[in-house]
Amino acid sequence: MSDVIGKSEKVTQNRIIDLFINELGFHYLGNWSERKGNSNIEEEFLTKYLNKNGYSKEKINVAINKLKTEANNYNRTLYQNNKEVYSLLRYGASVKIDVTKSNETIKYINWDDPQKNDFAIAEEVTLQGNNERRPDLVLYINGIAISVIELKNSRVSIGDGISQLISNQLPEFNEWFFTTTQILFAGSDAEGLKYGTIRTPEKYYLTWKEDEQENERFKLDKYILKICEKKRFIELLHDFILFDGGEKKLPRVHQYFGVKAAQEFMKRREGGIIWHTQGSGKSIVMVLLARWILENISKARVLIITDRQELDAQIKSVFESSGESIYQTSSGIDLMSKLALPTPRLFCSLVHKFGQRDVGNIDKFIEEIKSRPSIVVGELFVFVDECHRTQSGDLHDLMKAIMANAVFVGFTGTPLLKNDKNKTLDAFGKYIHTYKFSEAVADKVILDLLYEARDIDQRLSSVEKIDAWFDAKTRGLNSWQKDELKKQWSTMQRVLSSRSRMEKVVADIVFDFGVKPRLNNNRGNAILVAASIFEACKYYELFQKTVFKGNCAIVTSYNLDKRDTTKEETGANTETDRQVIYNTYFELLKNVQALPNLSKTETYEAKAKDKFKKEPANMKLLVVVDKLLTGFDAPSCTYIYIDKSMQNHGLFQAICRTNRLDGEDKVFGYIVDYKDLFKSVEKVISVYSSEIDHSTDKIDGADSDVLMNNRLNKAREKLDQALEMMFLILEPIPQPKGEWESIRYFCGNTEIATDLKDKESLRISLYKTVATFLRAYANVSDDLEAADYSQEDITRIKKQLNQAIDLRALIRRASGEELDLKAYEADMRHLLDSYIEASDPRKISPFDDVPLLELIVKSGIAEAFTQKFGNKQPKDDKSVAEVVENNIRSKIMKEHLHDPAFFERMSKLLDEVVKFRKENANKYEEYLLKVVNLAKRIQSGSASQMPSSLQTLGQKALYNNLGEQEELALTIDMTLKQVRPADWRGVQTRENVIKQALYEILKSEKEVERIFNIVFIHKEY
């Protein structure tokens, strides 16, 4: 074996030193192993630099003394000393020698012109202290130690280098030296380069990723060149270091490139969207970008807008903990007044503070605002958090009217699905930067997720008793009212909310906390998502009867209000659903002392959330409905139990509550699904891991305009049809078409039962037509003007809508077809709780130990089918079909490079199969057979009539892509297996051997490149 394998660390170290000197332009200071007095502030070199920049000797002495004083304050922690040193390095030292003259700022580093700094490298820098240590390499800028590099040979883990960096920072070793250091590196030829800063734990050291196709040298060399290039190195030090609430942070690579891309947009005063997946650090991107804008655009101001109070408070906290002063507006008036002043330059607000009370015609009001815009001082840059939720509606239009010249930047953790895309791209512009879920998992920024579906079987215990109870409790109601009550209480959600089933869910969760890792050792906790506030309250009550008492809290949007029970009393000595909610919260809050500026509910929730994050052993479970499912980061949260139907953005954000990193024992985030949501989970994971379709980024392009126009045209068409239907159904009412005439027309004589029965079809038509009118209006209400309705039309339509709603209510009351359901809630709840029994939860998903990305994004075809259904016959044919189709499509897209010709044919065949399913819905078995056969063919990589001489996937791929020339395919196969060098992939000279062999056969450079890409993929060559 060659002696270069397993070479010593010194060989690597010498090569890296040469790289810094010859490629990066650093000066070599020498081997300082025997040099005395090595320091993190080398006064000789710093004095030389400052003197070169024209500072007087006296001022230089004062500046150096200030720097040393901050670096060596033994009454502070390493973090505090490092923070103060960084402040001096970044902003300079204010020095005054002559009392008659003004202060002068001494700059230790030239941030504006990196080339004017003195970059240097020393090796084997011996550090004197309690225990002597010797870092491999130290990087200096103007004599100040900025970076330490620990190198390891390929036989040793890079983790050993990181451990050395960490131990060197301990007080018993050389903590003093690290008060000036900013970026710390550990590397080896085998594992590449990792970077962190002071007090960074080993698991949080980061890996850079850029130009992945470059493969000409060791990754260690490649990324030192990328990061330590002088201009970028200075930029990282100046623009991308944060001191965040006791923790010093460096940017992850996606944060760096996200901010860099946004900077270019801001220079052009162009808005756009930053999509960085849930848990990847959007808040840090906001802080870094806002700071850059305020420092580089002279009259810039930054307003950050959220749509929820907890997010508003979180944004304020993030900025303040990173040292940025931010003003939080208290009201709409406060916001408007601050916009008209030059300060504050950085402030945050809720989107709802743009709303105006007592505005009858919001569209007209917005037009008035546009004609006389509010005074906004400075150049305003507006960051809109979770922009997919705030991209449309009157408030957004009003916000843009008030700040007409502002640059809007939307931040989101989820991509824009088709329903959102038109509105959001129109509001913010195109994508600035994206970082997908699958990328974040691969980069170990967040955890992958494990999914488990659990089924709770339910059955009726006594049909006879149910019917008897219902008849007894509804005596006196007419048939319509009974039907209405049945409809309200025979829904799937009502059945799923039965006490028996909820008790089984509670017992299931309690059991998990006894046996599941992290839950059973108090390291992790969980969130339960309930379908409604009522169910959340019932769950909370049930958990109070278990070991969770005192360790469980409820967080919903409900605020205790006595008015909620004013109209709820039925006189039956029972509780309506609203009374249950009120009474639960009343008991919950009766001993809570409200904190300043907070209500009792807010105080209770704030304490619960804080304990959930910091003391998982003492706050095991939060029961929620909608709150905390976005923007709530709790690394301890390991499980989310979902007992609510969810989809798209809401579902993705909810399941991502569990994907935050939190120690070595948290390997995955866990989803337990009681509502059969796998298809929705599969959809959001697939979509949020897929590539962005940038073809729709350009809102000025034809595609967006056509889509918007089509949507508005269809919406107007439906509204016009609804208006016509309303006219036709109301036209026969005798003049003057008042209440009396309407009642007679739709009800006849309300005291005669046969009249009501004879007119029933008319009333049903009325109710359906009004419902259609309401839906059609809601679909276009935000865009009535864009749909070419005049102001007179809009006023008329709104008037007609209100009249239609009033008429429906009148006829329902007159005919006795309106029922106050709350009087029957307790009785119907008793019926469900008493006569619907539930079994213990049963795990029905066979892939609970397979990560979702592997299962959904990376799964094969035949395996995916058997994984999902095993030998059982699926209940829902359509769902099986779609699962298989989707998996086949993903397989085709993923494997296309292996054999482009074959998978092109498979794509066309799949489209035919899908078409066949749609046209032959009743021939499901035939369809399924076709799909399974197709899946097997895709997995084997062979067409149906492949020559028997072609045995391997590589041979088959060559045959498919060489015009099905069997002899040519076999000739290339044999030749490559004879000439291929060992480990040829990624080594240019060895790859050329393969290409030369191909050229001698194909005689075409273009063909060589095409076939080489296929050969490269197949590992048999």
Side-chain angles (χ1 to χ4, degrees), residues 52-97:
K52 185 171 63 177
N53 280 272
Y55 299 116
S56 67
K57 183 178 179 180
E58 293 80 5
K59 288 181 178 178
I60 290 173
N61 290 336
V62 173
I64 292 177
N65 186 56
K66 278 195 171 189
L67 185 61
K68 292 177 71 174
T69 300
E70 297 296 354
N72 301 314
N73 188 329
Y74 299 108
N75 295 317
R76 297 188 308 216
T77 64
L78 170 60
Y79 173 86
Q80 291 166 332
N81 282 349
N82 192 281
K83 183 178 180 181
E84 294 305 319
V85 166
Y86 179 75
S87 181
L88 279 177
L89 296 181
R90 195 173 194 276
Y91 302 109
S94 180
V95 174
K96 189 173 187 176
I97 302 298

Side-chain angles (χ1 to χ4, degrees), residues 563-761:
R563 290 174 294 182
D564 285 341
T565 61
T566 302
K567 297 180 181 179
E568 291 295 306
E569 189 56 55
T570 64
N573 200 29
T574 56
E575 289 183 321
T576 66
D577 287 3
R578 291 178 72 87
Q579 286 174 320
V580 167
I581 296 169
Y582 177 85
N583 293 335
T584 300
Y585 267 83
F586 182 82
E587 286 297 315
L588 196 70
L589 302 175
K590 66 181 181 182
N591 295 321
V592 174
Q593 297 296 319
L595 293 173
N597 301 319
L598 296 178
S599 67
K600 278 191 168 189
T601 305
E602 290 168 337
T603 300
Y604 165 79
E605 291 182 353
K607 290 181 177 179
K609 289 187 290 186
D610 190 63
K611 189 179 286 188
F612 186 82
K613 289 182 179 182
K614 298 176 181 177
E615 304 173 36
N618 297 319
M619 186 53 68
K620 297 179 183 295
L621 184 75
L622 294 179
V623 183
V624 307
V625 179
D626 292 309
K627 291 183 77 172
L628 305 191
L629 298 183
T630 61
F632 179 62
D633 291 340
S636 60
C637 184
T638 308
Y639 277 72
I640 185 164
Y641 296 89
I642 303 178
D643 196 28
K644 174 183 179 179
S645 294
M646 308 177 76
Q647 60 183 344
N648 296 343
H649 301 301
L651 175 61
F652 185 66
Q653 290 175 321
I655 63 179
C656 286
R657 294 311 99 204
T658 66
N659 71 359
R660 301 328 192 246
L661 304 173
D662 187 38
E664 297 298 327
D665 62 337
K666 187 177 180 183
V667 183
F668 295 103
Y670 296 85
I671 310 162
V672 177
D673 169 21
Y674 296 109
K675 282 292 178 75
D676 301 332
L677 298 177
F678 180 69
K679 189 173 178 184
S680 296
V681 172
E682 183 180 45
K683 174 185 172 185
V684 296
I685 295 292
S686 299
V687 171
Y688 297 0
S689 299
S690 63
E691 293 297 328
I692 291 295
D693 178 9
H694 289 283
S695 64
T696 55
D697 280 354
K698 298 173 183 176
I699 62 171
D700 295 324
D703 190 49
S704 293
D705 289 340
V706 169
L707 287 172
M708 177 64 88
N709 289 335
N710 286 345
R711 183 180 72 81
L712 290 177
N713 288 341
K714 288 178 181 178
R716 175 170 181 141
E717 184 181 333
K718 287 184 178 180
L719 181 54
D720 289 343
Q721 288 173 353
L723 286 164
E724 186 176 348
M725 288 168 62
M726 280 304 308
F727 172 79
L728 292 174
I729 203 166
L730 299 180
E731 201 274 335
I733 301 173
Q735 294 293 345
K737 298 183 184 289
E739 291 186 356
W740 166 245
E741 290 78 17
S742 298
I743 291 172
R744 285 196 65 187
Y745 177 73
F746 286 107
C747 305
N749 187 338
T750 56
E751 294 179 301
I752 299 175
T754 54
D755 273 20
L756 282 171
K757 188 67 177 174
D758 291 343
K759 300 277 189 176
E760 186 176 36
S761 61

Side-chain angles (χ1 to χ4, degrees), residues 190-423:
E191 295 179 76
L193 184 72
K194 290 198 170 186
Y195 65 99
T197 187
I198 59 158
R199 294 289 187 254
T200 302
E202 180 180 345
K203 63 185 177 183
Y204 292 127
Y205 265 69
L206 305 171
T207 302
W208 200 264
K209 188 170 68 172
E210 183 180 359
D211 297 330
E212 292 96 321
Q213 299 306 313
E214 288 183 12
N215 197 30
E216 304 299 320
R217 59 203 306 171
F218 288 112
K219 296 295 185 287
L220 172 62
D221 304 47
K222 172 183 174 179
Y223 287 117
I224 283 179
L225 287 171
K226 296 284 187 187
I227 297 173
C228 297
E229 185 275 323
K230 290 179 181 178
K231 183 178 178 182
R232 179 177 282 182
F233 198 40
I234 287 291
E235 178 187 54
L236 284 168
L237 297 175
H238 187 267
D239 294 337
F240 290 92
I241 287 177
L242 279 183
F243 291 84
D244 184 4
E247 183 180 352
K248 188 175 182 180
K249 294 179 178 178
L250 297 177
R252 296 183 182 275
V253 66
H254 71 275
Q255 292 168 330
Y256 170 80
F257 285 111
V259 172
K260 287 294 292 176
Q263 287 174 3
E264 295 305 311
F265 274 67
M266 299 306 100
K267 290 175 185 176
R268 300 193 300 265
R269 306 303 191 265
E270 180 182 353
I273 300 164
I274 295 175
W275 164 31
H276 284 184
T277 195
Q278 297 291 320
S280 63
K282 292 194 303 298
S283 299
I284 288 177
V285 174
M286 280 189 184
V287 173
L288 294 173
L289 182 57
R291 186 171 71 182
W292 183 88
I293 289 172
L294 295 174
E295 290 181 347
N296 289 274
I297 300 176
S298 60
K299 295 182 180 179
R301 303 175 70 195
V302 177
L303 169 62
I304 300 168
I305 294 174
T306 63
D307 67 340
R308 297 186 182 178
Q309 271 189 326
E310 62 264 30
L311 292 181
D312 193 43
Q314 181 185 343
I315 289 293
K316 184 174 187 291
S317 173
V318 167
F319 273 84
E320 288 180 338
S321 64
S322 62
E324 302 295 329
S325 177
I326 184 170
Y327 180 81
Q328 188 176 27
T329 62
S330 58
S331 65
I333 294 174
D334 185 29
L335 172 62
M336 299 303 292
S337 67
K338 293 298 183 290
L339 286 171
L341 298 172
T343 58
R345 293 189 70 201
L346 178 62
F347 49 129
C348 60
S349 176
L350 287 166
V351 68
H352 311 99
K353 289 173 185 175
F354 285 89
Q356 299 288 320
R357 294 183 180 179
D358 304 320
V359 175
N361 188 332
I362 186 68
D363 298 322
K364 185 177 179 181
F365 179 70
I366 291 172
E367 286 304 312
E368 291 175 0
I369 290 290
K370 287 180 179 178
S371 65
R372 46 181 181 84
S374 303
I375 298 173
V376 177
V377 175
E379 284 194 69
L380 191 61
F381 294 81
V382 181
F383 295 178
V384 182
D385 193 26
E386 301 297 350
C387 66
H388 63 274
R389 291 202 304 259
T390 56
Q391 84 279 3
S392 62
D394 294 332
L395 282 178
H396 183 82
D397 292 339
L398 182 59
M399 182 171 70
K400 297 203 77 171
I402 291 171
M403 301 178 292
N405 297 316
V407 176
F408 284 82
V409 181
F411 288 80
T412 182
T414 56
L416 306 179
L417 303 178
K418 281 189 176 180
N419 292 341
D420 309 318
K421 190 168 284 187
N422 300 329
K423 294 180 180 179

Side-chain angles (χ1 to χ4, degrees), residues 899-911:
D899 191 345
F902 173 72
F903 281 98
E904 175 65 22
R905 291 197 294 273
M906 288 297 102
S907 296
K908 291 176 181 176
L909 182 53
L910 175 63
D911 286 335

